[in-house]
Amino acid sequence: MDTQQPYDLILHGGDIVDGTGAPRRRADLGVRAGRIAALGDLSGAPATQRLDVTGLAVAPGFIDSHAHDDRAVLDMPDMLPKVSQGVTTVVNGNCGISLAPLRGHETLVPPLNLLGRGQACASFADYRKAIDATAPAVNVAAMVGHSTLRVMRMGEVTRPATGTEIDAMRADVEQALNDGALGVSTGTFYPPAAAATADEIIAVCEPMKRLGGVYATHMRDEGDRVMEAIEESLRIGAALNVPVVISHHKLVGKQNHGRSAQTLARIGEAARAQQVCLDCYPYDASSTILRPERVEICDRTMITWSEPHPEAAGRYLEDLAREWKVSPREAAEALLPAGAVYFIMDDGDVRRILTYPDTMIGSDGLASEGRPHPRLWGTFPRVLGHYGRKLGLFPLETAVYRMTGLTALRLGLHERGRIAPGFHADLAVFDPETIIDNATFDEPTQVCTGMRHVFVGGVATWLDGNATGARPGRFIADRPGRANR
């Protein structure tokens, strides 16, 4: 390569944390045409832009392995909640819910309404075109949601699908994969898919046997029957011969706290025979639609939104129940449709799951919520600052690997997640000594401390601690078993 040709950007003097887990090393980084062009001593090389990043970590841009930004990338394309914490790629379409393909359902049933209000996309190709036309600040990869397909193809979702309905959904999956879907996600925990059998899911997902892809699942149970749910997930993945991602792995209910030792042992055993990994967010509280039957096993429940009682956002259900002189379950029923944060997990399980070798980091954040869970704004700096630096759960290099290289490897995102010549110049530059989340349950939209610069394809989306307004993101049509397009 002609060393006299100017680089578009040189990051000078930083500590390269390359996304493989290898020890950091001091080096300059040069970018040309959106790609990493050189690593080493570039002190004498010409550059259009040169930034001194001495004392800062230069890492691959973080990949949110479990996002629900399907609509957010279209409605709020600056993507400030993600850009501000170093995210350069989001993976949408999780938990069985996706914005495409869906038509004729302007009033979305829960949990599809978690994606927010507005027009859905009739095909996956339409969703991809909408992203390309909008040009968000982050890259987007996306799965097609099994629950979305059920809502579109079945008049009644509280039963198993018929053969005709399965054929229609299978054709939808094949078309979505051909249009660039990463794979298929399921959410059998939720009512629209609770009646679906494992055989139905295998039949619907059959095109992945030929076309490749990821099977990601919000399992049927994360409580008393978690082991049965894991076995079902493994069986589906094995039948399809595709990688399995167990979404936001957790154990809910006090009677199940500590069982992560058992679940991870089984997942590790299965990983010797098939591809299986998991993702996790670094909090001991979950967030999704409000389900009255669930509040009885929670320590506390915070309301994030409610259609009949919008004033309840940010209030604790238990306080509302006392004011209304009803039981917490009755209060929950009066708030529907609504969303909630459930204080239902144990931090010991969170730590054990975070340190499992095949755990990716995903926010599971919901941008449409009136009062979001702090994970939307704080997931990645919380892993680095709270669990990594403060608690010493893992070194910086391991934390970065869980957010970058591991995710790209498991999800088949080509030439991403690593700092290496030829890879996309998606980069996060931060102060490893001060990086920390500031978002809390009481103030969930606070920007983190310590994130200095973020680049997507070599273009700054966050510079000197401020959003630039640039929107260089693109749709990524990669997946396991498929070459980059």
Side-chain angles (χ1 to χ4, degrees):
M1 183 177 291
D2 180 7
T3 57
Q4 297 307 306
Q5 180 186 353
Y7 292 96
D8 299 326
L9 169 69
I10 288 178
L11 299 178
H12 170 71
D15 292 327
I16 304 296
V17 185
D18 68 5
T20 68
R24 71 193 85 175
R25 61 189 177 94
R26 182 69 52 84
D28 301 334
L29 184 153
V31 175
R32 284 198 187 106
R35 300 269 183 162
I36 298 168
L39 293 167
D41 182 0
L42 303 178
S43 55
T48 303
Q49 181 183 20
R50 183 184 295 268
L51 287 176
D52 186 351
V53 294
T54 302
L56 302 179
V58 180
F62 305 146
I63 303 169
D64 190 342
S65 64
H66 188 108
H68 289 289
D69 295 323
D70 304 53
R71 191 184 299 282
V73 293
L74 303 176
D75 291 350
M76 44 179 282
D78 62 341
M79 291 300 292
L80 185 61
K82 299 299 175 69
V83 167
S84 63
Q85 55 180 313
V87 172
T88 57
T89 298
V90 297
V91 179
N92 289 334
N94 284 286
C95 297
I97 57 177
S98 59
L99 206 60
L102 190 64
R103 51 188 175 271
H105 295 276
E106 294 182 3
T107 301
L108 298 180
V109 300
L112 273 66
N113 59 351
L114 290 175
L115 300 180
R117 297 179 180 275
Q119 186 63 42
C121 296
S123 70
F124 206 87
D126 287 344
Y127 181 59
R128 181 174 177 174
K129 289 175 184 176
I131 291 170
D132 289 342
T134 302
V138 295
N139 298 314
V140 179
M143 287 177 279
V144 59
H146 169 245
S147 293
T148 292
L149 299 182
R150 287 187 119 240
V151 168
M152 184 174 70
R153 293 300 185 185
M154 299 173 62
E156 174 55 61
V157 294
T158 59
R159 58 168 174 79
T162 66
T164 300
E165 291 162 343
I166 287 173
D167 288 344
M169 290 188 282
R170 182 190 297 116
D172 291 332
V173 167
E174 179 150 358
Q175 187 62 57
L177 292 172
N178 284 328
D179 289 337
L182 182 67
V184 180
S185 75
T186 59
T188 46
F189 167 79
Y190 292 109
T197 65
D199 288 338
E200 173 190 317
I201 294 168
I202 292 167
V204 167
C205 295
E206 182 275 335
M208 286 201 290
K209 290 182 181 179
R210 296 174 280 109
L211 300 177
V214 173
Y215 174 68
T217 179
H218 182 155
M219 298 189 302
R220 203 175 294 274
D221 195 285
E222 297 171 319
D224 296 348
R225 302 188 64 186
V226 65
M227 296 306 295
E228 291 94 325
I230 289 173
E231 295 303 329
E232 179 183 56
S233 303
L234 295 173
R235 179 198 160 200
I236 293 169
L240 296 169
N241 193 29
V242 296
V244 175
V245 178
I246 295 176
S247 296
H248 44 56
H249 186 41
K250 57 184 175 290
L251 286 303
V252 301
K254 289 183 178 179
Q255 71 276 20
N256 294 303
H257 291 172
R259 291 186 68 193
S260 57
Q262 178 187 12
T263 62
L264 294 175
R266 177 63 186 112
I267 293 168
E269 177 187 26
R272 293 196 287 269
Q274 66 184 106
Q275 296 182 66
V276 55
C277 64
L278 47 96
D279 64 61
C280 177
Y281 50 81
Y283 297 86
D284 59 5
S286 63
S287 180
T288 185
I289 56 173
L290 178 61
R291 298 183 67 171
E293 71 276 11
R294 196 170 177 83
V295 303
E296 297 169 348
I297 62 171
C298 297
D299 293 333
R300 290 176 297 153
T301 304
M302 176 185 279
I303 304 304
T304 56
W305 60 274
S306 168
E307 287 194 7
H309 293 281
E311 74 280 2
R315 299 285 309 278
Y316 285 97
L317 179 68
E318 296 76 13
D319 294 338
L320 292 168
R322 281 192 291 271
E323 291 177 14
W324 295 349
K325 295 182 172 56
V326 297
S327 70
R329 180 160 185 157
E330 290 171 323
E333 290 169 347
L335 289 163
L336 296 176
V341 168
Y342 300 99
F343 294 86
I344 199 171
M345 297 146 63
D346 175 67
D347 191 57
D349 285 318
V350 174
R351 296 186 197 193
R352 187 178 291 116
I353 293 167
L354 282 172
T355 56
Y356 178 74
D358 258 335
T359 295
M360 307 178 293
I361 304 301
S363 71
D364 198 21
L366 297 167
S368 64
E369 289 184 326
R371 191 182 184 92
H373 190 298
R375 64 193 181 189
L376 180 68
W377 289 78
T379 288
F380 295 87
R382 183 170 177 80
V383 171
L384 292 166
H386 177 69
Y387 284 103
R389 185 180 67 250
K390 290 188 174 182
L391 298 185
L393 211 60
F394 28 56
L396 175 66
E397 292 85 350
T398 300
V400 168
Y401 171 64
R402 302 298 179 82
M403 304 172 175
T404 59
L406 175 64
T407 310
L409 178 66
R410 294 291 177 254
L411 300 185
L413 303 180
H414 304 290
E415 297 178 345
R416 299 182 190 276
R418 283 176 50 200
I419 290 180
F423 275 55
H424 293 277
D426 298 342
L427 304 165
V429 183
F430 59 92
D431 185 343
E433 300 303 319
T434 63
I435 188 82
I436 194 70
D437 59 307
N438 293 318
T440 66
F441 289 100
D442 292 326
E443 296 185 81
T445 61
Q446 300 301 302
V447 173
C448 75
T449 296
M451 185 57 61
R452 296 289 186 84
H453 315 298
V454 182
F455 301 88
V456 173
V459 176
T461 57
W462 188 258
L463 195 63
D464 295 320
N466 294 285
T468 67
R471 287 157 44 180
R474 58 182 287 265
F475 187 89
I476 300 172
D478 301 347
R479 64 172 177 266
R482 172 185 182 151
N484 188 24
R485 279 180 54 178

PDB file of all heavy atoms in Angstrom, residues 262-289:
ATOM      1  N   GLN A 262     -26.241 -24.504  37.334  1.00  0.00           N
ATOM      2  CA  GLN A 262     -26.816 -25.675  36.668  1.00  0.00           C
ATOM      3  C   GLN A 262     -27.066 -25.400  35.189  1.00  0.00           C
ATOM      4  O   GLN A 262     -26.714 -26.227  34.325  1.00  0.00           O
ATOM      5  CB  GLN A 262     -28.131 -26.051  37.349  1.00  0.00           C
ATOM      6  CG  GLN A 262     -28.858 -27.233  36.738  1.00  0.00           C
ATOM      7  CD  GLN A 262     -30.244 -27.448  37.346  1.00  0.00           C
ATOM      8  OE1 GLN A 262     -30.758 -26.582  38.069  1.00  0.00           O
ATOM      9  NE2 GLN A 262     -30.850 -28.588  37.063  1.00  0.00           N
ATOM     10  N   THR A 263     -27.640 -24.246  34.864  1.00  0.00           N
ATOM     11  CA  THR A 263     -27.959 -23.962  33.470  1.00  0.00           C
ATOM     12  C   THR A 263     -26.699 -23.803  32.622  1.00  0.00           C
ATOM     13  O   THR A 263     -26.632 -24.310  31.498  1.00  0.00           O
ATOM     14  CB  THR A 263     -28.825 -22.691  33.345  1.00  0.00           C
ATOM     15  OG1 THR A 263     -28.099 -21.564  33.847  1.00  0.00           O
ATOM     16  CG2 THR A 263     -30.131 -22.835  34.110  1.00  0.00           C
ATOM     17  N   LEU A 264     -25.694 -23.136  33.164  1.00  0.00           N
ATOM     18  CA  LEU A 264     -24.465 -22.935  32.391  1.00  0.00           C
ATOM     19  C   LEU A 264     -23.705 -24.235  32.197  1.00  0.00           C
ATOM     20  O   LEU A 264     -23.067 -24.436  31.156  1.00  0.00           O
ATOM     21  CB  LEU A 264     -23.586 -21.893  33.082  1.00  0.00           C
ATOM     22  CG  LEU A 264     -24.156 -20.471  33.118  1.00  0.00           C
ATOM     23  CD1 LEU A 264     -23.255 -19.549  33.932  1.00  0.00           C
ATOM     24  CD2 LEU A 264     -24.363 -19.920  31.709  1.00  0.00           C
ATOM     25  N   ALA A 265     -23.774 -25.115  33.180  1.00  0.00           N
ATOM     26  CA  ALA A 265     -23.131 -26.421  33.025  1.00  0.00           C
ATOM     27  C   ALA A 265     -23.773 -27.189  31.872  1.00  0.00           C
ATOM     28  O   ALA A 265     -23.075 -27.815  31.056  1.00  0.00           O
ATOM     29  CB  ALA A 265     -23.231 -27.214  34.316  1.00  0.00           C
ATOM     30  N   ARG A 266     -25.098 -27.123  31.769  1.00  0.00           N
ATOM     31  CA  ARG A 266     -25.784 -27.826  30.681  1.00  0.00           C
ATOM     32  C   ARG A 266     -25.479 -27.186  29.330  1.00  0.00           C
ATOM     33  O   ARG A 266     -25.246 -27.881  28.329  1.00  0.00           O
ATOM     34  CB  ARG A 266     -27.302 -27.826  30.921  1.00  0.00           C
ATOM     35  CG  ARG A 266     -28.101 -28.481  29.789  1.00  0.00           C
ATOM     36  CD  ARG A 266     -27.760 -29.961  29.634  1.00  0.00           C
ATOM     37  NE  ARG A 266     -28.400 -30.558  28.465  1.00  0.00           N
ATOM     38  CZ  ARG A 266     -27.755 -30.980  27.377  1.00  0.00           C
ATOM     39  NH1 ARG A 266     -26.425 -30.872  27.306  1.00  0.00           N
ATOM     40  NH2 ARG A 266     -28.419 -31.524  26.368  1.00  0.00           N
ATOM     41  N   ILE A 267     -25.463 -25.865  29.277  1.00  0.00           N
ATOM     42  CA  ILE A 267     -25.151 -25.173  28.022  1.00  0.00           C
ATOM     43  C   ILE A 267     -23.723 -25.488  27.592  1.00  0.00           C
ATOM     44  O   ILE A 267     -23.456 -25.753  26.417  1.00  0.00           O
ATOM     45  CB  ILE A 267     -25.360 -23.661  28.185  1.00  0.00           C
ATOM     46  CG1 ILE A 267     -26.850 -23.355  28.393  1.00  0.00           C
ATOM     47  CG2 ILE A 267     -24.826 -22.904  26.973  1.00  0.00           C
ATOM     48  CD1 ILE A 267     -27.139 -21.942  28.853  1.00  0.00           C
ATOM     49  N   GLY A 268     -22.798 -25.503  28.551  1.00  0.00           N
ATOM     50  CA  GLY A 268     -21.414 -25.837  28.233  1.00  0.00           C
ATOM     51  C   GLY A 268     -21.266 -27.250  27.719  1.00  0.00           C
ATOM     52  O   GLY A 268     -20.493 -27.504  26.782  1.00  0.00           O
ATOM     53  N   GLU A 269     -22.006 -28.172  28.310  1.00  0.00           N
ATOM     54  CA  GLU A 269     -21.991 -29.557  27.837  1.00  0.00           C
ATOM     55  C   GLU A 269     -22.524 -29.648  26.410  1.00  0.00           C
ATOM     56  O   GLU A 269     -21.942 -30.306  25.541  1.00  0.00           O
ATOM     57  CB  GLU A 269     -22.832 -30.427  28.766  1.00  0.00           C
ATOM     58  CG  GLU A 269     -22.947 -31.884  28.342  1.00  0.00           C
ATOM     59  CD  GLU A 269     -23.927 -32.669  29.189  1.00  0.00           C
ATOM     60  OE1 GLU A 269     -24.866 -32.051  29.752  1.00  0.00           O
ATOM     61  OE2 GLU A 269     -23.769 -33.893  29.293  1.00  0.00           O
ATOM     62  N   ALA A 270     -23.630 -28.953  26.147  1.00  0.00           N
ATOM     63  CA  ALA A 270     -24.230 -28.990  24.815  1.00  0.00           C
ATOM     64  C   ALA A 270     -23.308 -28.379  23.773  1.00  0.00           C
ATOM     65  O   ALA A 270     -23.290 -28.810  22.609  1.00  0.00           O
ATOM     66  CB  ALA A 270     -25.564 -28.243  24.832  1.00  0.00           C
ATOM     67  N   ALA A 271     -22.531 -27.368  24.178  1.00  0.00           N
ATOM     68  CA  ALA A 271     -21.649 -26.669  23.241  1.00  0.00           C
ATOM     69  C   ALA A 271     -20.557 -27.572  22.683  1.00  0.00           C
ATOM     70  O   ALA A 271     -19.929 -27.232  21.684  1.00  0.00           O
ATOM     71  CB  ALA A 271     -21.032 -25.448  23.915  1.00  0.00           C
ATOM     72  N   ARG A 272     -20.333 -28.723  23.305  1.00  0.00           N
ATOM     73  CA  ARG A 272     -19.356 -29.666  22.764  1.00  0.00           C
ATOM     74  C   ARG A 272     -19.908 -30.409  21.552  1.00  0.00           C
ATOM     75  O   ARG A 272     -19.153 -31.013  20.794  1.00  0.00           O
ATOM     76  CB  ARG A 272     -18.924 -30.658  23.850  1.00  0.00           C
ATOM     77  CG  ARG A 272     -18.130 -30.013  24.977  1.00  0.00           C
ATOM     78  CD  ARG A 272     -17.402 -31.055  25.818  1.00  0.00           C
ATOM     79  NE  ARG A 272     -18.318 -31.805  26.662  1.00  0.00           N
ATOM     80  CZ  ARG A 272     -18.644 -31.476  27.909  1.00  0.00           C
ATOM     81  NH1 ARG A 272     -18.135 -30.371  28.452  1.00  0.00           N
ATOM     82  NH2 ARG A 272     -19.467 -32.210  28.621  1.00  0.00           N
ATOM     83  N   ALA A 273     -21.247 -30.375  21.382  1.00  0.00           N
ATOM     84  CA  ALA A 273     -21.866 -31.103  20.280  1.00  0.00           C
ATOM     85  C   ALA A 273     -22.548 -30.201  19.261  1.00  0.00           C
ATOM     86  O   ALA A 273     -22.802 -30.627  18.131  1.00  0.00           O
ATOM     87  CB  ALA A 273     -22.893 -32.093  20.838  1.00  0.00           C
ATOM     88  N   GLN A 274     -22.871 -28.960  19.648  1.00  0.00           N
ATOM     89  CA  GLN A 274     -23.538 -28.055  18.732  1.00  0.00           C
ATOM     90  C   GLN A 274     -23.152 -26.624  19.082  1.00  0.00           C
ATOM     91  O   GLN A 274     -22.640 -26.355  20.168  1.00  0.00           O
ATOM     92  CB  GLN A 274     -25.063 -28.222  18.783  1.00  0.00           C
ATOM     93  CG  GLN A 274     -25.703 -27.819  20.103  1.00  0.00           C
ATOM     94  CD  GLN A 274     -27.200 -28.090  20.136  1.00  0.00           C
ATOM     95  OE1 GLN A 274     -27.632 -29.027  20.800  1.00  0.00           O
ATOM     96  NE2 GLN A 274     -27.994 -27.288  19.435  1.00  0.00           N
ATOM     97  N   GLN A 275     -23.403 -25.719  18.161  1.00  0.00           N
ATOM     98  CA  GLN A 275     -23.072 -24.316  18.399  1.00  0.00           C
ATOM     99  C   GLN A 275     -24.165 -23.666  19.246  1.00  0.00           C
ATOM    100  O   GLN A 275     -25.310 -23.573  18.814  1.00  0.00           O
ATOM    101  CB  GLN A 275     -22.946 -23.568  17.069  1.00  0.00           C
ATOM    102  CG  GLN A 275     -21.806 -24.047  16.182  1.00  0.00           C
ATOM    103  CD  GLN A 275     -21.715 -23.216  14.914  1.00  0.00           C
ATOM    104  OE1 GLN A 275     -21.403 -22.028  14.951  1.00  0.00           O
ATOM    105  NE2 GLN A 275     -21.983 -23.854  13.783  1.00  0.00           N
ATOM    106  N   VAL A 276     -23.795 -23.232  20.441  1.00  0.00           N
ATOM    107  CA  VAL A 276     -24.750 -22.574  21.327  1.00  0.00           C
ATOM    108  C   VAL A 276     -24.011 -21.551  22.177  1.00  0.00           C
ATOM    109  O   VAL A 276     -22.924 -21.818  22.695  1.00  0.00           O
ATOM    110  CB  VAL A 276     -25.496 -23.595  22.216  1.00  0.00           C
ATOM    111  CG1 VAL A 276     -24.534 -24.458  23.010  1.00  0.00           C
ATOM    112  CG2 VAL A 276     -26.474 -22.895  23.155  1.00  0.00           C
ATOM    113  N   CYS A 277     -24.566 -20.369  22.256  1.00  0.00           N
ATOM    114  CA  CYS A 277     -24.021 -19.326  23.121  1.00  0.00           C
ATOM    115  C   CYS A 277     -25.197 -18.562  23.718  1.00  0.00           C
ATOM    116  O   CYS A 277     -26.360 -18.963  23.562  1.00  0.00           O
ATOM    117  CB  CYS A 277     -23.082 -18.402  22.350  1.00  0.00           C
ATOM    118  SG  CYS A 277     -23.882 -17.448  21.045  1.00  0.00           S
ATOM    119  N   LEU A 278     -24.920 -17.464  24.395  1.00  0.00           N
ATOM    120  CA  LEU A 278     -25.995 -16.708  25.029  1.00  0.00           C
ATOM    121  C   LEU A 278     -25.620 -15.247  25.075  1.00  0.00           C
ATOM    122  O   LEU A 278     -24.470 -14.869  24.852  1.00  0.00           O
ATOM    123  CB  LEU A 278     -26.280 -17.253  26.428  1.00  0.00           C
ATOM    124  CG  LEU A 278     -25.090 -17.507  27.353  1.00  0.00           C
ATOM    125  CD1 LEU A 278     -24.868 -16.309  28.270  1.00  0.00           C
ATOM    126  CD2 LEU A 278     -25.307 -18.752  28.182  1.00  0.00           C
ATOM    127  N   ASP A 279     -26.620 -14.423  25.337  1.00  0.00           N
ATOM    128  CA  ASP A 279     -26.337 -13.015  25.596  1.00  0.00           C
ATOM    129  C   ASP A 279     -26.905 -12.643  26.954  1.00  0.00           C
ATOM    130  O   ASP A 279     -27.729 -13.366  27.519  1.00  0.00           O
ATOM    131  CB  ASP A 279     -26.860 -12.109  24.477  1.00  0.00           C
ATOM    132  CG  ASP A 279     -28.369 -12.118  24.317  1.00  0.00           C
ATOM    133  OD1 ASP A 279     -29.075 -11.741  25.273  1.00  0.00           O
ATOM    134  OD2 ASP A 279     -28.856 -12.473  23.234  1.00  0.00           O
ATOM    135  N   CYS A 280     -26.438 -11.513  27.482  1.00  0.00           N
ATOM    136  CA  CYS A 280     -26.812 -11.110  28.836  1.00  0.00           C
ATOM    137  C   CYS A 280     -26.698  -9.598  28.942  1.00  0.00           C
ATOM    138  O   CYS A 280     -25.827  -8.992  28.325  1.00  0.00           O
ATOM    139  CB  CYS A 280     -25.877 -11.786  29.847  1.00  0.00           C
ATOM    140  SG  CYS A 280     -26.147 -11.342  31.583  1.00  0.00           S
ATOM    141  N   TYR A 281     -27.583  -8.986  29.714  1.00  0.00           N
ATOM    142  CA  TYR A 281     -27.427  -7.576  30.055  1.00  0.00           C
ATOM    143  C   TYR A 281     -27.004  -7.479  31.525  1.00  0.00           C
ATOM    144  O   TYR A 281     -27.361  -8.333  32.348  1.00  0.00           O
ATOM    145  CB  TYR A 281     -28.694  -6.760  29.785  1.00  0.00           C
ATOM    146  CG  TYR A 281     -29.979  -7.330  30.345  1.00  0.00           C
ATOM    147  CD1 TYR A 281     -30.326  -7.157  31.684  1.00  0.00           C
ATOM    148  CD2 TYR A 281     -30.876  -8.021  29.529  1.00  0.00           C
ATOM    149  CE1 TYR A 281     -31.512  -7.659  32.187  1.00  0.00           C
ATOM    150  CE2 TYR A 281     -32.058  -8.534  30.027  1.00  0.00           C
ATOM    151  CZ  TYR A 281     -32.379  -8.340  31.359  1.00  0.00           C
ATOM    152  OH  TYR A 281     -33.544  -8.849  31.858  1.00  0.00           O
ATOM    153  N   PRO A 282     -26.222  -6.452  31.890  1.00  0.00           N
ATOM    154  CA  PRO A 282     -25.572  -6.412  33.205  1.00  0.00           C
ATOM    155  C   PRO A 282     -26.418  -5.760  34.300  1.00  0.00           C
ATOM    156  O   PRO A 282     -25.988  -4.826  34.987  1.00  0.00           O
ATOM    157  CB  PRO A 282     -24.313  -5.586  32.915  1.00  0.00           C
ATOM    158  CG  PRO A 282     -24.758  -4.612  31.879  1.00  0.00           C
ATOM    159  CD  PRO A 282     -25.722  -5.369  31.008  1.00  0.00           C
ATOM    160  N   TYR A 283     -27.629  -6.276  34.500  1.00  0.00           N
ATOM    161  CA  TYR A 283     -28.546  -5.757  35.513  1.00  0.00           C
ATOM    162  C   TYR A 283     -29.310  -6.920  36.132  1.00  0.00           C
ATOM    163  O   TYR A 283     -29.514  -7.955  35.489  1.00  0.00           O
ATOM    164  CB  TYR A 283     -29.545  -4.776  34.896  1.00  0.00           C
ATOM    165  CG  TYR A 283     -28.921  -3.534  34.304  1.00  0.00           C
ATOM    166  CD1 TYR A 283     -28.450  -3.541  32.984  1.00  0.00           C
ATOM    167  CD2 TYR A 283     -28.798  -2.372  35.041  1.00  0.00           C
ATOM    168  CE1 TYR A 283     -27.871  -2.409  32.425  1.00  0.00           C
ATOM    169  CE2 TYR A 283     -28.223  -1.225  34.487  1.00  0.00           C
ATOM    170  CZ  TYR A 283     -27.759  -1.255  33.185  1.00  0.00           C
ATOM    171  OH  TYR A 283     -27.179  -0.137  32.635  1.00  0.00           O
ATOM    172  N   ASP A 284     -29.778  -6.721  37.375  1.00  0.00           N
ATOM    173  CA  ASP A 284     -30.551  -7.773  38.038  1.00  0.00           C
ATOM    174  C   ASP A 284     -32.049  -7.479  38.000  1.00  0.00           C
ATOM    175  O   ASP A 284     -32.812  -7.997  38.816  1.00  0.00           O
ATOM    176  CB  ASP A 284     -30.074  -7.988  39.477  1.00  0.00           C
ATOM    177  CG  ASP A 284     -30.179  -6.742  40.337  1.00  0.00           C
ATOM    178  OD1 ASP A 284     -30.712  -5.719  39.865  1.00  0.00           O
ATOM    179  OD2 ASP A 284     -29.718  -6.791  41.496  1.00  0.00           O
ATOM    180  N   ALA A 285     -32.464  -6.654  37.044  1.00  0.00           N
ATOM    181  CA  ALA A 285     -33.885  -6.382  36.820  1.00  0.00           C
ATOM    182  C   ALA A 285     -34.159  -6.480  35.329  1.00  0.00           C
ATOM    183  O   ALA A 285     -33.346  -6.046  34.512  1.00  0.00           O
ATOM    184  CB  ALA A 285     -34.270  -4.989  37.332  1.00  0.00           C
ATOM    185  N   SER A 286     -35.297  -7.068  34.975  1.00  0.00           N
ATOM    186  CA  SER A 286     -35.673  -7.223  33.573  1.00  0.00           C
ATOM    187  C   SER A 286     -36.727  -6.189  33.215  1.00  0.00           C
ATOM    188  O   SER A 286     -37.228  -5.451  34.078  1.00  0.00           O
ATOM    189  CB  SER A 286     -36.222  -8.634  33.330  1.00  0.00           C
ATOM    190  OG  SER A 286     -37.406  -8.845  34.090  1.00  0.00           O
ATOM    191  N   SER A 287     -37.097  -6.130  31.938  1.00  0.00           N
ATOM    192  CA  SER A 287     -38.124  -5.183  31.494  1.00  0.00           C
ATOM    193  C   SER A 287     -38.803  -5.711  30.254  1.00  0.00           C
ATOM    194  O   SER A 287     -38.138  -6.151  29.305  1.00  0.00           O
ATOM    195  CB  SER A 287     -37.495  -3.811  31.203  1.00  0.00           C
ATOM    196  OG  SER A 287     -38.481  -2.890  30.778  1.00  0.00           O
ATOM    197  N   THR A 288     -40.130  -5.686  30.257  1.00  0.00           N
ATOM    198  CA  THR A 288     -40.911  -6.123  29.113  1.00  0.00           C
ATOM    199  C   THR A 288     -42.349  -5.652  29.321  1.00  0.00           C
ATOM    200  O   THR A 288     -42.597  -4.729  30.106  1.00  0.00           O
ATOM    201  CB  THR A 288     -40.814  -7.653  28.931  1.00  0.00           C
ATOM    202  OG1 THR A 288     -41.489  -8.030  27.729  1.00  0.00           O
ATOM    203  CG2 THR A 288     -41.381  -8.408  30.099  1.00  0.00           C
ATOM    204  N   ILE A 289     -43.301  -6.280  28.634  1.00  0.00           N
ATOM    205  CA  ILE A 289     -44.696  -5.924  28.853  1.00  0.00           C
ATOM    206  C   ILE A 289     -45.099  -6.304  30.278  1.00  0.00           C
ATOM    207  O   ILE A 289     -44.542  -7.224  30.886  1.00  0.00           O
ATOM    208  CB  ILE A 289     -45.627  -6.621  27.840  1.00  0.00           C
ATOM    209  CG1 ILE A 289     -45.454  -8.146  27.879  1.00  0.00           C
ATOM    210  CG2 ILE A 289     -45.394  -6.077  26.441  1.00  0.00           C
ATOM    211  CD1 ILE A 289     -46.454  -8.904  27.034  1.00  0.00           C
TER     212      ILE A 289
END
